[in-house]
């Protein structure tokens, strides 16, 4: 195994769901910017980037969220950086966001836009994505996990610990964020939380995973 291969595998073995961080150790700005850039550059279905990343550094807000985030209580109290990943709602070809992506970001020629919209519609219909608002939101949430995975892998490559979390009361946490004007619930929903920092405890036990032959099948 060459150096880059071993570096990648070492990073995956290093990474674990860190429950408590050393609150005295902070991630360098350059390193956390790299983690965020990995999220921004992540792939998404149709390249529509249906996400937003909220970096919650306000300790008072963290303490408020902690009451309704049983799976993140220790991380909210100790993580160097704490991120809420939002998924965008109602991402359809005619939505304001998609029109922005088509015209301002991807900068398609005006004459090609109807065909692009039709391609998006056909894809979403064929994959049952646009059956209803829930299926649209679930599709967007799937994309956020691509970014989440890239953030955690990037962190591990930098020797930084992380923990993804779904252990929270979605309605209560959303209500807090909405009342503070942090999240527009017409546009976004909270998909997942992620904490970053440096582990306080000793390294965890060796990873337990199924064997390759149990989860990988080659069809040749």
């Amino acid at each position: 195994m060459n150096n880059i291969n071993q570096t990648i595998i070492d990073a995956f073995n290093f990474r674990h769901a860190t429950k408590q961080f050393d609150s005295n150790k902070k991630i360098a700005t350059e390193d956390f910017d790299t983690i965020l850039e990995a999220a921004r550059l992540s792939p998404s279905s149709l390249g529509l980037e249906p996400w937003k990343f909220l970096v919650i550094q306000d300790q008072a807000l963290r303490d408020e969220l902690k009451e309704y985030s049983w799976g993140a209580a220790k991380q909210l109290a100790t993580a160097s950086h704490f991120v809420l990943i939002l998924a965008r709602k109602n991402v359809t070809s005619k939505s304001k966001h998609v029109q922005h992506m088509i015209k301002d970001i991807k900068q398609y020629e005006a004459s090609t836009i109807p065909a692009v919209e039709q391609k998006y519609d056909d894809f979403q219909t064929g994959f049952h994505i646009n059956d209803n608002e829930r299926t649209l939101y679930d599709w967007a949430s799937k994309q956020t996990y691509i970014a989440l995975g890239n953030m955690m892998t990037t962190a591990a490559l930098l020797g930084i610990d992380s923990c993804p979390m779904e252990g929270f009361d979605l309605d209560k946490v959303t209500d807090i964020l909405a009342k503070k004007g942090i999240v527009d619930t017409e546009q976004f929903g909270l998909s997942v939380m992620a904490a970053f920092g440096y582990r306080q405890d000793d390294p965890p036990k060796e990873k337990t995973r199924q064997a390759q032959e149990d989860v990988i099948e080659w069809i040749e």
Side-chain angles (χ1 to χ4, degrees), residues 113-178:
I113 289 177
V116 172
E117 292 173 342
Q118 188 62 53
K119 181 182 77 172
Y120 290 179
D121 291 342
D122 291 345
F123 169 74
Q124 289 191 326
T125 298
F127 218 70
H128 295 283
I129 292 166
N130 58 3
D131 285 356
N132 52 60
E133 289 187 2
R134 181 70 214 189
T135 55
L136 280 165
Y137 180 71
D138 287 345
W139 172 65
S141 292
K142 288 179 182 179
Q143 312 313 308
T144 69
Y145 278 72
I146 300 173
L148 171 65
N150 286 339
M151 292 174 79
M152 292 192 298
T153 300
T154 300
L157 287 164
L158 292 169
I160 294 168
D161 292 295
S162 64
C163 185
M165 291 153 290
E166 296 175 321
F168 55 91
D169 186 318
L170 180 60
D171 293 338
K172 294 287 181 58
V173 171
T174 298
D175 188 55
I176 291 172
L177 298 172

Side-chain angles (χ1 to χ4, degrees), residues 78-211:
T78 61
S80 170
H81 291 69
F82 198 91
V83 181
L84 306 182
I85 306 181
L86 310 182
R88 190 176 285 276
K89 297 180 178 180
N90 297 315
V91 180
T92 64
S93 65
K94 294 296 193 293
S95 67
K96 183 177 179 180
H97 173 69
V98 173
Q99 289 297 310
H100 165 64
M101 293 298 298
I102 289 173
K103 296 174 182 177
D104 303 325
I105 304 302
K106 298 179 180 295
Q107 298 185 347
Y108 285 111
E109 294 288 341
S111 61
T112 69
I113 289 177
V116 172
E117 292 173 342
Q118 188 62 53
K119 181 182 77 172
Y120 290 179
D121 291 342
D122 291 345
F123 169 74
Q124 289 191 326
T125 298
F127 218 70
H128 295 283
I129 292 166
N130 58 3
D131 285 356
N132 52 60
E133 289 187 2
R134 181 70 214 189
T135 55
L136 280 165
Y137 180 71
D138 287 345
W139 172 65
S141 292
K142 288 179 182 179
Q143 312 313 308
T144 69
Y145 278 72
I146 300 173
L148 171 65
N150 286 339
M151 292 174 79
M152 292 192 298
T153 300
T154 300
L157 287 164
L158 292 169
I160 294 168
D161 292 295
S162 64
C163 185
M165 291 153 290
E166 296 175 321
F168 55 91
D169 186 318
L170 180 60
D171 293 338
K172 294 287 181 58
V173 171
T174 298
D175 188 55
I176 291 172
L177 298 172
K179 285 181 176 178
K180 292 182 178 295
I182 295 171
V183 175
D184 178 354
T185 57
E186 293 295 316
Q187 300 295 322
F188 292 99
L190 176 55
S191 177
V192 66
M193 298 174 171
F196 298 88
Y198 296 95
R199 66 189 70 174
Q200 183 177 66
D201 300 325
D202 292 333
K205 296 179 182 179
E206 185 176 348
K207 285 187 183 298
T208 56
R209 294 290 191 273
Q210 297 180 73

